[in-house]
Amino acid sequence: MEGDRALRAAVLVSGSGTNLQALLDRQAEGALAAEIVVVAADRSDAFGLVRAGQAGAPAHVVEYDHYLKSPLDELPPLPAHIDLEALDARQRILKTPDRARRLERLRRLVLAEKALIDILEEYRPDVVCLAGFMRLVSPHFIKHFNTEGRLRILNIHPALLPAFPGRHGYEDTFAYGCRWGGITVHFVDEGEDTGPIIAQVVYPVWPGDSVDDVKQRGLGLEYLMYAQCLNWLASGNIRLEKGGEPSGRIRAVITDPRYRTILEGWTAKSLTL
Ligand code: GRF
């Protein structure tokens, strides 16, 4: 995955796909050290699929609702090698206290993920980029891609983690009355938006801003950050370090000597958006 070869990137979307568009645009400009080899969505009306088609990237759908809502006997059986109980013991995303209901939900999620993995693997991605993919990923999906100690799933989150994980980063930042909002690009682990942070940037929330103003400012930064993080990954400029006690948390460190200049550029830009 490291070195000068372009990374093979799969991009997962659920909605408008403006981050995907930014990556496709960078790729077209020759400014992305990754090739977007496949785009996949969890719903057929995700506009990101149209964007992929326009750019000539293969686009696929796995209808998650089919897996999550159809009668169980209409779904394929769970492959024998998948141990649902073991996955449940590791997962930190499904909080349903009723064990039977939680296991059923996990089963459905894993079946959807299996369909997704089968599609993605046809394109042999080095990295999977969640770009507005509004689904939880289970330990099954994570384990499939994170092999040999490599973290291969990235996410972009519209808040300064660990503040405001979840689906409404901009809204939560705004509603809390924060003076600064932030964007985080991170590796995905088994929690909700808890994986090792690759990059963060902050932007001001000005008096009189609407939540939409905040969102537009943040999105302007998202487009810069995701491409840069992929470029760092491609050039081997993200090093993983195991932290000391008490957490032992894995941390990602950017080794690019231009890091400071790049961060200064993002920060300066945030004041102009
Ligand atoms: C972005 O704000 C991203 O940070 C979040 O979902 C949103 C996706 O927007 N994960 P888009 O589909 O890329 O326009």
Side-chain angles (χ1 to χ4, degrees):
M1 184 157 67
E2 293 172 1
D4 289 325
R5 177 173 77 84
L7 282 183
R8 297 176 65 81
V11 181
L12 304 188
V13 298
S14 295
S16 67
T18 59
N19 271 286
L20 165 67
Q21 188 66 58
L23 291 174
L24 290 166
D25 291 348
R26 286 284 184 303
Q27 181 180 314
E29 291 160 9
L32 190 70
E35 181 191 355
I36 298 172
V37 292
V38 60
V39 172
D42 61 326
R43 45 192 295 169
S44 55
D45 60 354
F47 190 68
L49 294 167
V50 177
R51 297 181 189 275
Q54 285 166 348
H60 295 267
V61 184
V62 173
E63 284 286 3
Y64 266 54
D65 273 356
H66 166 68
Y67 291 93
L68 298 179
K69 295 183 179 159
S70 298
L72 265 185
D73 58 10
E74 288 178 19
L75 297 180
L78 200 67
H81 69 274
I82 298 180
D83 182 344
L84 215 50
E85 310 237 337
L87 289 179
D88 185 45
R90 282 179 35 208
Q91 66 94 14
R92 285 188 275 137
I93 45 172
L94 298 176
K95 308 234 165 67
T96 321
D98 180 325
R99 186 170 167 281
R101 282 187 51 215
R102 195 175 63 246
L103 283 174
E104 179 185 322
R105 210 168 135 59
L106 190 57
R107 171 186 296 266
R108 291 172 176 278
L109 182 59
V110 167
L111 286 172
E113 289 179 343
K114 183 186 174 309
L116 183 56
I117 290 169
D118 286 348
I119 290 170
L120 298 183
E121 279 305 339
E122 285 176 36
Y123 298 89
R124 294 175 289 102
D126 296 308
V127 58
V128 178
C129 300
L130 312 187
F133 186 63
M134 307 307 272
R135 299 287 179 180
L136 302 171
V137 293
S138 85
H140 172 67
F141 189 87
I142 294 170
K143 187 164 157 257
H144 177 87
F145 287 105
N146 287 357
T147 49
E148 296 161 13
R150 295 190 317 179
L151 302 181
R152 292 169 60 203
I153 311 171
L154 273 64
N155 183 40
I156 185 158
H157 181 76
L160 197 65
L161 292 170
F164 311 127
R167 292 173 153 244
H168 305 292
Y170 287 123
E171 291 80 358
D172 294 345
T173 300
F174 182 76
Y176 198 90
C178 295
R179 297 294 185 270
W180 295 87
I183 311 293
T184 306
V185 177
H186 63 97
F187 289 112
V188 171
D189 72 2
E190 291 166 359
E192 187 178 29
D193 301 321
T194 54
I197 290 170
I198 300 171
Q200 290 188 305
V201 69
V202 292
Y203 60 83
V205 181
W206 301 116
D209 270 350
S210 66
V211 68
D212 211 49
D213 295 330
V214 166
K215 195 169 176 179
Q216 289 317 315
R217 191 168 305 128
L219 278 167
L221 296 167
E222 289 191 36
Y223 305 149
L224 302 177
M225 289 175 75
Y226 219 170
Q228 179 62 66
C229 290
L230 273 175
N231 286 347
W232 278 328
L233 196 62
S235 58
N237 270 313
I238 304 178
R239 191 179 71 227
L240 297 179
E241 279 182 357
K242 184 137 167 68
E245 296 302 327
S247 72
R249 191 181 154 78
I250 292 174
R251 297 185 313 141
V253 178
I254 304 299
T255 55
D256 182 351
R258 297 168 308 144
Y259 173 70
R260 191 186 178 112
T261 308
I262 290 167
L263 189 65
E264 283 170 359
W266 290 344
T267 308
K269 173 106 184 172
S270 81
L271 296 168
T272 67
L273 288 168

PDB file of all heavy atoms in Angstrom, residues 47-79:
ATOM      1  N   PHE A  47     -27.002  10.126  -4.693  1.00  0.00           N
ATOM      2  CA  PHE A  47     -26.557  10.875  -5.876  1.00  0.00           C
ATOM      3  C   PHE A  47     -25.078  10.625  -6.172  1.00  0.00           C
ATOM      4  O   PHE A  47     -24.628  10.789  -7.309  1.00  0.00           O
ATOM      5  CB  PHE A  47     -26.838  12.380  -5.688  1.00  0.00           C
ATOM      6  CG  PHE A  47     -26.629  13.161  -6.945  1.00  0.00           C
ATOM      7  CD1 PHE A  47     -27.465  12.991  -8.039  1.00  0.00           C
ATOM      8  CD2 PHE A  47     -25.563  14.050  -7.055  1.00  0.00           C
ATOM      9  CE1 PHE A  47     -27.247  13.688  -9.212  1.00  0.00           C
ATOM     10  CE2 PHE A  47     -25.341  14.764  -8.234  1.00  0.00           C
ATOM     11  CZ  PHE A  47     -26.191  14.588  -9.319  1.00  0.00           C
ATOM     12  N   GLY A  48     -24.364  10.183  -5.184  1.00  0.00           N
ATOM     13  CA  GLY A  48     -22.956   9.840  -5.403  1.00  0.00           C
ATOM     14  C   GLY A  48     -22.788   8.811  -6.512  1.00  0.00           C
ATOM     15  O   GLY A  48     -21.768   8.798  -7.206  1.00  0.00           O
ATOM     16  N   LEU A  49     -23.784   7.965  -6.704  1.00  0.00           N
ATOM     17  CA  LEU A  49     -23.704   6.961  -7.777  1.00  0.00           C
ATOM     18  C   LEU A  49     -23.696   7.644  -9.147  1.00  0.00           C
ATOM     19  O   LEU A  49     -22.996   7.215 -10.071  1.00  0.00           O
ATOM     20  CB  LEU A  49     -24.880   5.987  -7.680  1.00  0.00           C
ATOM     21  CG  LEU A  49     -24.893   5.090  -6.436  1.00  0.00           C
ATOM     22  CD1 LEU A  49     -26.247   4.409  -6.280  1.00  0.00           C
ATOM     23  CD2 LEU A  49     -23.769   4.059  -6.510  1.00  0.00           C
ATOM     24  N   VAL A  50     -24.492   8.707  -9.252  1.00  0.00           N
ATOM     25  CA  VAL A  50     -24.528   9.467 -10.512  1.00  0.00           C
ATOM     26  C   VAL A  50     -23.168  10.119 -10.742  1.00  0.00           C
ATOM     27  O   VAL A  50     -22.615  10.092 -11.848  1.00  0.00           O
ATOM     28  CB  VAL A  50     -25.652  10.537 -10.463  1.00  0.00           C
ATOM     29  CG1 VAL A  50     -25.648  11.384 -11.728  1.00  0.00           C
ATOM     30  CG2 VAL A  50     -27.010   9.876 -10.227  1.00  0.00           C
ATOM     31  N   ARG A  51     -22.622  10.685  -9.674  1.00  0.00           N
ATOM     32  CA  ARG A  51     -21.305  11.334  -9.800  1.00  0.00           C
ATOM     33  C   ARG A  51     -20.256  10.322 -10.259  1.00  0.00           C
ATOM     34  O   ARG A  51     -19.406  10.628 -11.099  1.00  0.00           O
ATOM     35  CB  ARG A  51     -20.876  11.922  -8.461  1.00  0.00           C
ATOM     36  CG  ARG A  51     -21.783  13.028  -7.955  1.00  0.00           C
ATOM     37  CD  ARG A  51     -21.229  13.543  -6.626  1.00  0.00           C
ATOM     38  NE  ARG A  51     -22.128  14.457  -5.947  1.00  0.00           N
ATOM     39  CZ  ARG A  51     -22.207  15.765  -6.183  1.00  0.00           C
ATOM     40  NH1 ARG A  51     -21.440  16.307  -7.124  1.00  0.00           N
ATOM     41  NH2 ARG A  51     -23.030  16.529  -5.500  1.00  0.00           N
ATOM     42  N   ALA A  52     -20.316   9.123  -9.685  1.00  0.00           N
ATOM     43  CA  ALA A  52     -19.355   8.090 -10.072  1.00  0.00           C
ATOM     44  C   ALA A  52     -19.522   7.770 -11.552  1.00  0.00           C
ATOM     45  O   ALA A  52     -18.539   7.703 -12.304  1.00  0.00           O
ATOM     46  CB  ALA A  52     -19.566   6.840  -9.225  1.00  0.00           C
ATOM     47  N   GLY A  53     -20.781   7.589 -11.965  1.00  0.00           N
ATOM     48  CA  GLY A  53     -21.053   7.267 -13.368  1.00  0.00           C
ATOM     49  C   GLY A  53     -20.507   8.345 -14.299  1.00  0.00           C
ATOM     50  O   GLY A  53     -19.882   8.041 -15.319  1.00  0.00           O
ATOM     51  N   GLN A  54     -20.725   9.609 -13.915  1.00  0.00           N
ATOM     52  CA  GLN A  54     -20.257  10.715 -14.769  1.00  0.00           C
ATOM     53  C   GLN A  54     -18.737  10.712 -14.896  1.00  0.00           C
ATOM     54  O   GLN A  54     -18.189  11.116 -15.909  1.00  0.00           O
ATOM     55  CB  GLN A  54     -20.724  12.054 -14.186  1.00  0.00           C
ATOM     56  CG  GLN A  54     -22.210  12.301 -14.421  1.00  0.00           C
ATOM     57  CD  GLN A  54     -22.757  13.448 -13.575  1.00  0.00           C
ATOM     58  OE1 GLN A  54     -22.103  13.936 -12.657  1.00  0.00           O
ATOM     59  NE2 GLN A  54     -23.979  13.866 -13.890  1.00  0.00           N
ATOM     60  N   ALA A  55     -18.082  10.245 -13.851  1.00  0.00           N
ATOM     61  CA  ALA A  55     -16.612  10.227 -13.876  1.00  0.00           C
ATOM     62  C   ALA A  55     -16.068   8.920 -14.438  1.00  0.00           C
ATOM     63  O   ALA A  55     -14.862   8.721 -14.502  1.00  0.00           O
ATOM     64  CB  ALA A  55     -16.082  10.451 -12.459  1.00  0.00           C
ATOM     65  N   GLY A  56     -16.958   8.025 -14.800  1.00  0.00           N
ATOM     66  CA  GLY A  56     -16.510   6.756 -15.376  1.00  0.00           C
ATOM     67  C   GLY A  56     -16.025   5.752 -14.347  1.00  0.00           C
ATOM     68  O   GLY A  56     -15.329   4.792 -14.695  1.00  0.00           O
ATOM     69  N   ALA A  57     -16.387   5.950 -13.086  1.00  0.00           N
ATOM     70  CA  ALA A  57     -15.978   4.980 -12.049  1.00  0.00           C
ATOM     71  C   ALA A  57     -17.091   3.941 -11.881  1.00  0.00           C
ATOM     72  O   ALA A  57     -18.270   4.292 -11.892  1.00  0.00           O
ATOM     73  CB  ALA A  57     -15.717   5.689 -10.725  1.00  0.00           C
ATOM     74  N   PRO A  58     -16.738   2.670 -11.722  1.00  0.00           N
ATOM     75  CA  PRO A  58     -17.772   1.651 -11.502  1.00  0.00           C
ATOM     76  C   PRO A  58     -18.592   1.975 -10.252  1.00  0.00           C
ATOM     77  O   PRO A  58     -18.029   2.364  -9.235  1.00  0.00           O
ATOM     78  CB  PRO A  58     -16.962   0.363 -11.286  1.00  0.00           C
ATOM     79  CG  PRO A  58     -15.600   0.638 -11.816  1.00  0.00           C
ATOM     80  CD  PRO A  58     -15.377   2.118 -11.700  1.00  0.00           C
ATOM     81  N   ALA A  59     -19.908   1.848 -10.366  1.00  0.00           N
ATOM     82  CA  ALA A  59     -20.788   2.203  -9.242  1.00  0.00           C
ATOM     83  C   ALA A  59     -21.728   1.045  -8.950  1.00  0.00           C
ATOM     84  O   ALA A  59     -22.313   0.462  -9.875  1.00  0.00           O
ATOM     85  CB  ALA A  59     -21.579   3.462  -9.593  1.00  0.00           C
ATOM     86  N   HIS A  60     -21.854   0.712  -7.684  1.00  0.00           N
ATOM     87  CA  HIS A  60     -22.684  -0.428  -7.270  1.00  0.00           C
ATOM     88  C   HIS A  60     -23.555  -0.033  -6.085  1.00  0.00           C
ATOM     89  O   HIS A  60     -23.209   0.877  -5.328  1.00  0.00           O
ATOM     90  CB  HIS A  60     -21.804  -1.603  -6.836  1.00  0.00           C
ATOM     91  CG  HIS A  60     -20.986  -2.172  -7.957  1.00  0.00           C
ATOM     92  ND1 HIS A  60     -21.416  -3.221  -8.730  1.00  0.00           N
ATOM     93  CD2 HIS A  60     -19.765  -1.821  -8.428  1.00  0.00           C
ATOM     94  CE1 HIS A  60     -20.478  -3.512  -9.632  1.00  0.00           C
ATOM     95  NE2 HIS A  60     -19.475  -2.680  -9.471  1.00  0.00           N
ATOM     96  N   VAL A  61     -24.646  -0.791  -5.923  1.00  0.00           N
ATOM     97  CA  VAL A  61     -25.544  -0.565  -4.782  1.00  0.00           C
ATOM     98  C   VAL A  61     -25.714  -1.874  -4.016  1.00  0.00           C
ATOM     99  O   VAL A  61     -25.910  -2.928  -4.622  1.00  0.00           O
ATOM    100  CB  VAL A  61     -26.951  -0.131  -5.259  1.00  0.00           C
ATOM    101  CG1 VAL A  61     -27.840   0.186  -4.059  1.00  0.00           C
ATOM    102  CG2 VAL A  61     -26.866   1.055  -6.190  1.00  0.00           C
ATOM    103  N   VAL A  62     -25.673  -1.779  -2.711  1.00  0.00           N
ATOM    104  CA  VAL A  62     -26.157  -2.866  -1.859  1.00  0.00           C
ATOM    105  C   VAL A  62     -27.300  -2.264  -1.057  1.00  0.00           C
ATOM    106  O   VAL A  62     -27.069  -1.373  -0.228  1.00  0.00           O
ATOM    107  CB  VAL A  62     -25.051  -3.385  -0.917  1.00  0.00           C
ATOM    108  CG1 VAL A  62     -25.626  -4.387   0.075  1.00  0.00           C
ATOM    109  CG2 VAL A  62     -23.930  -4.030  -1.726  1.00  0.00           C
ATOM    110  N   GLU A  63     -28.490  -2.677  -1.336  1.00  0.00           N
ATOM    111  CA  GLU A  63     -29.657  -2.091  -0.657  1.00  0.00           C
ATOM    112  C   GLU A  63     -29.690  -2.585   0.783  1.00  0.00           C
ATOM    113  O   GLU A  63     -30.199  -3.662   1.075  1.00  0.00           O
ATOM    114  CB  GLU A  63     -30.951  -2.493  -1.382  1.00  0.00           C
ATOM    115  CG  GLU A  63     -31.211  -1.754  -2.676  1.00  0.00           C
ATOM    116  CD  GLU A  63     -31.678  -0.302  -2.472  1.00  0.00           C
ATOM    117  OE1 GLU A  63     -31.760   0.172  -1.320  1.00  0.00           O
ATOM    118  OE2 GLU A  63     -31.951   0.347  -3.490  1.00  0.00           O
ATOM    119  N   TYR A  64     -29.143  -1.777   1.684  1.00  0.00           N
ATOM    120  CA  TYR A  64     -29.107  -2.179   3.089  1.00  0.00           C
ATOM    121  C   TYR A  64     -30.510  -2.424   3.634  1.00  0.00           C
ATOM    122  O   TYR A  64     -30.713  -3.311   4.453  1.00  0.00           O
ATOM    123  CB  TYR A  64     -28.382  -1.132   3.933  1.00  0.00           C
ATOM    124  CG  TYR A  64     -26.907  -1.423   4.134  1.00  0.00           C
ATOM    125  CD1 TYR A  64     -26.069  -1.648   3.039  1.00  0.00           C
ATOM    126  CD2 TYR A  64     -26.345  -1.474   5.399  1.00  0.00           C
ATOM    127  CE1 TYR A  64     -24.724  -1.904   3.217  1.00  0.00           C
ATOM    128  CE2 TYR A  64     -25.000  -1.733   5.592  1.00  0.00           C
ATOM    129  CZ  TYR A  64     -24.188  -1.950   4.498  1.00  0.00           C
ATOM    130  OH  TYR A  64     -22.854  -2.219   4.684  1.00  0.00           O
ATOM    131  N   ASP A  65     -31.462  -1.600   3.192  1.00  0.00           N
ATOM    132  CA  ASP A  65     -32.829  -1.764   3.719  1.00  0.00           C
ATOM    133  C   ASP A  65     -33.368  -3.161   3.430  1.00  0.00           C
ATOM    134  O   ASP A  65     -34.134  -3.706   4.216  1.00  0.00           O
ATOM    135  CB  ASP A  65     -33.765  -0.710   3.123  1.00  0.00           C
ATOM    136  CG  ASP A  65     -33.730   0.563   3.962  1.00  0.00           C
ATOM    137  OD1 ASP A  65     -33.048   0.546   5.016  1.00  0.00           O
ATOM    138  OD2 ASP A  65     -34.356   1.552   3.570  1.00  0.00           O
ATOM    139  N   HIS A  66     -32.992  -3.727   2.313  1.00  0.00           N
ATOM    140  CA  HIS A  66     -33.419  -5.091   2.003  1.00  0.00           C
ATOM    141  C   HIS A  66     -32.939  -6.037   3.103  1.00  0.00           C
ATOM    142  O   HIS A  66     -33.698  -6.861   3.611  1.00  0.00           O
ATOM    143  CB  HIS A  66     -32.876  -5.508   0.636  1.00  0.00           C
ATOM    144  CG  HIS A  66     -32.973  -6.978   0.377  1.00  0.00           C
ATOM    145  ND1 HIS A  66     -34.174  -7.625   0.206  1.00  0.00           N
ATOM    146  CD2 HIS A  66     -32.010  -7.940   0.288  1.00  0.00           C
ATOM    147  CE1 HIS A  66     -33.943  -8.920   0.027  1.00  0.00           C
ATOM    148  NE2 HIS A  66     -32.642  -9.131   0.069  1.00  0.00           N
ATOM    149  N   TYR A  67     -31.664  -5.900   3.460  1.00  0.00           N
ATOM    150  CA  TYR A  67     -31.100  -6.807   4.470  1.00  0.00           C
ATOM    151  C   TYR A  67     -31.626  -6.494   5.871  1.00  0.00           C
ATOM    152  O   TYR A  67     -31.788  -7.395   6.695  1.00  0.00           O
ATOM    153  CB  TYR A  67     -29.569  -6.716   4.464  1.00  0.00           C
ATOM    154  CG  TYR A  67     -28.990  -7.299   3.200  1.00  0.00           C
ATOM    155  CD1 TYR A  67     -28.717  -6.493   2.100  1.00  0.00           C
ATOM    156  CD2 TYR A  67     -28.751  -8.664   3.091  1.00  0.00           C
ATOM    157  CE1 TYR A  67     -28.218  -7.018   0.926  1.00  0.00           C
ATOM    158  CE2 TYR A  67     -28.244  -9.210   1.921  1.00  0.00           C
ATOM    159  CZ  TYR A  67     -27.986  -8.383   0.845  1.00  0.00           C
ATOM    160  OH  TYR A  67     -27.492  -8.915  -0.319  1.00  0.00           O
ATOM    161  N   LEU A  68     -31.898  -5.240   6.121  1.00  0.00           N
ATOM    162  CA  LEU A  68     -32.297  -4.861   7.484  1.00  0.00           C
ATOM    163  C   LEU A  68     -33.785  -5.042   7.728  1.00  0.00           C
ATOM    164  O   LEU A  68     -34.217  -5.157   8.864  1.00  0.00           O
ATOM    165  CB  LEU A  68     -31.888  -3.404   7.767  1.00  0.00           C
ATOM    166  CG  LEU A  68     -30.377  -3.142   7.711  1.00  0.00           C
ATOM    167  CD1 LEU A  68     -30.072  -1.678   7.987  1.00  0.00           C
ATOM    168  CD2 LEU A  68     -29.614  -4.018   8.697  1.00  0.00           C
ATOM    169  N   LYS A  69     -34.579  -5.081   6.641  1.00  0.00           N
ATOM    170  CA  LYS A  69     -36.034  -5.077   6.845  1.00  0.00           C
ATOM    171  C   LYS A  69     -36.779  -6.291   6.299  1.00  0.00           C
ATOM    172  O   LYS A  69     -37.923  -6.533   6.689  1.00  0.00           O
ATOM    173  CB  LYS A  69     -36.632  -3.806   6.224  1.00  0.00           C
ATOM    174  CG  LYS A  69     -36.143  -2.559   6.940  1.00  0.00           C
ATOM    175  CD  LYS A  69     -36.765  -1.293   6.422  1.00  0.00           C
ATOM    176  CE  LYS A  69     -36.240  -0.099   7.213  1.00  0.00           C
ATOM    177  NZ  LYS A  69     -36.385   1.158   6.512  1.00  0.00           N
ATOM    178  N   SER A  70     -36.187  -7.057   5.398  1.00  0.00           N
ATOM    179  CA  SER A  70     -36.908  -8.215   4.832  1.00  0.00           C
ATOM    180  C   SER A  70     -37.082  -9.293   5.895  1.00  0.00           C
ATOM    181  O   SER A  70     -36.275  -9.382   6.832  1.00  0.00           O
ATOM    182  CB  SER A  70     -36.115  -8.838   3.676  1.00  0.00           C
ATOM    183  OG  SER A  70     -35.959  -7.926   2.647  1.00  0.00           O
ATOM    184  N   PRO A  71     -38.112 -10.149   5.748  1.00  0.00           N
ATOM    185  CA  PRO A  71     -38.213 -11.303   6.645  1.00  0.00           C
ATOM    186  C   PRO A  71     -36.910 -12.109   6.583  1.00  0.00           C
ATOM    187  O   PRO A  71     -36.332 -12.268   5.499  1.00  0.00           O
ATOM    188  CB  PRO A  71     -39.380 -12.106   6.062  1.00  0.00           C
ATOM    189  CG  PRO A  71     -40.156 -11.122   5.246  1.00  0.00           C
ATOM    190  CD  PRO A  71     -39.186 -10.094   4.749  1.00  0.00           C
ATOM    191  N   LEU A  72     -36.493 -12.590   7.730  1.00  0.00           N
ATOM    192  CA  LEU A  72     -35.191 -13.278   7.794  1.00  0.00           C
ATOM    193  C   LEU A  72     -35.099 -14.454   6.829  1.00  0.00           C
ATOM    194  O   LEU A  72     -34.041 -14.725   6.259  1.00  0.00           O
ATOM    195  CB  LEU A  72     -34.936 -13.783   9.213  1.00  0.00           C
ATOM    196  CG  LEU A  72     -34.108 -12.887  10.138  1.00  0.00           C
ATOM    197  CD1 LEU A  72     -33.858 -13.591  11.456  1.00  0.00           C
ATOM    198  CD2 LEU A  72     -32.787 -12.475   9.481  1.00  0.00           C
ATOM    199  N   ASP A  73     -36.254 -15.162   6.655  1.00  0.00           N
ATOM    200  CA  ASP A  73     -36.174 -16.349   5.792  1.00  0.00           C
ATOM    201  C   ASP A  73     -36.050 -15.991   4.307  1.00  0.00           C
ATOM    202  O   ASP A  73     -35.871 -16.861   3.465  1.00  0.00           O
ATOM    203  CB  ASP A  73     -37.357 -17.302   6.044  1.00  0.00           C
ATOM    204  CG  ASP A  73     -38.695 -16.624   5.814  1.00  0.00           C
ATOM    205  OD1 ASP A  73     -38.698 -15.497   5.282  1.00  0.00           O
ATOM    206  OD2 ASP A  73     -39.741 -17.222   6.168  1.00  0.00           O
ATOM    207  N   GLU A  74     -36.142 -14.720   3.994  1.00  0.00           N
ATOM    208  CA  GLU A  74     -35.899 -14.310   2.598  1.00  0.00           C
ATOM    209  C   GLU A  74     -34.439 -13.907   2.374  1.00  0.00           C
ATOM    210  O   GLU A  74     -34.042 -13.591   1.257  1.00  0.00           O
ATOM    211  CB  GLU A  74     -36.808 -13.127   2.232  1.00  0.00           C
ATOM    212  CG  GLU A  74     -38.258 -13.541   2.091  1.00  0.00           C
ATOM    213  CD  GLU A  74     -39.168 -12.355   1.764  1.00  0.00           C
ATOM    214  OE1 GLU A  74     -38.650 -11.312   1.308  1.00  0.00           O
ATOM    215  OE2 GLU A  74     -40.380 -12.504   1.972  1.00  0.00           O
ATOM    216  N   LEU A  75     -33.665 -13.913   3.443  1.00  0.00           N
ATOM    217  CA  LEU A  75     -32.251 -13.516   3.315  1.00  0.00           C
ATOM    218  C   LEU A  75     -31.376 -14.761   3.213  1.00  0.00           C
ATOM    219  O   LEU A  75     -31.749 -15.832   3.696  1.00  0.00           O
ATOM    220  CB  LEU A  75     -31.829 -12.695   4.531  1.00  0.00           C
ATOM    221  CG  LEU A  75     -32.570 -11.362   4.705  1.00  0.00           C
ATOM    222  CD1 LEU A  75     -32.062 -10.638   5.944  1.00  0.00           C
ATOM    223  CD2 LEU A  75     -32.421 -10.476   3.483  1.00  0.00           C
ATOM    224  N   PRO A  76     -30.197 -14.607   2.617  1.00  0.00           N
ATOM    225  CA  PRO A  76     -29.307 -15.764   2.534  1.00  0.00           C
ATOM    226  C   PRO A  76     -28.847 -16.169   3.935  1.00  0.00           C
ATOM    227  O   PRO A  76     -28.842 -15.345   4.852  1.00  0.00           O
ATOM    228  CB  PRO A  76     -28.121 -15.248   1.699  1.00  0.00           C
ATOM    229  CG  PRO A  76     -28.219 -13.773   1.724  1.00  0.00           C
ATOM    230  CD  PRO A  76     -29.639 -13.409   1.984  1.00  0.00           C
ATOM    231  N   PRO A  77     -28.464 -17.442   4.103  1.00  0.00           N
ATOM    232  CA  PRO A  77     -27.966 -17.858   5.412  1.00  0.00           C
ATOM    233  C   PRO A  77     -26.621 -17.197   5.697  1.00  0.00           C
ATOM    234  O   PRO A  77     -25.897 -16.813   4.767  1.00  0.00           O
ATOM    235  CB  PRO A  77     -27.814 -19.377   5.268  1.00  0.00           C
ATOM    236  CG  PRO A  77     -27.681 -19.607   3.803  1.00  0.00           C
ATOM    237  CD  PRO A  77     -28.412 -18.512   3.100  1.00  0.00           C
ATOM    238  N   LEU A  78     -26.317 -17.105   6.967  1.00  0.00           N
ATOM    239  CA  LEU A  78     -25.019 -16.563   7.352  1.00  0.00           C
ATOM    240  C   LEU A  78     -23.947 -17.619   7.060  1.00  0.00           C
ATOM    241  O   LEU A  78     -24.105 -18.773   7.468  1.00  0.00           O
ATOM    242  CB  LEU A  78     -25.049 -16.272   8.860  1.00  0.00           C
ATOM    243  CG  LEU A  78     -24.020 -15.284   9.397  1.00  0.00           C
ATOM    244  CD1 LEU A  78     -24.280 -13.885   8.868  1.00  0.00           C
ATOM    245  CD2 LEU A  78     -24.056 -15.303  10.921  1.00  0.00           C
ATOM    246  N   PRO A  79     -22.876 -17.274   6.358  1.00  0.00           N
ATOM    247  CA  PRO A  79     -21.834 -18.277   6.115  1.00  0.00           C
ATOM    248  C   PRO A  79     -21.338 -18.879   7.434  1.00  0.00           C
ATOM    249  O   PRO A  79     -21.232 -18.171   8.442  1.00  0.00           O
ATOM    250  CB  PRO A  79     -20.728 -17.472   5.424  1.00  0.00           C
ATOM    251  CG  PRO A  79     -21.432 -16.306   4.831  1.00  0.00           C
ATOM    252  CD  PRO A  79     -22.580 -15.983   5.746  1.00  0.00           C
TER     253      PRO A  79
END
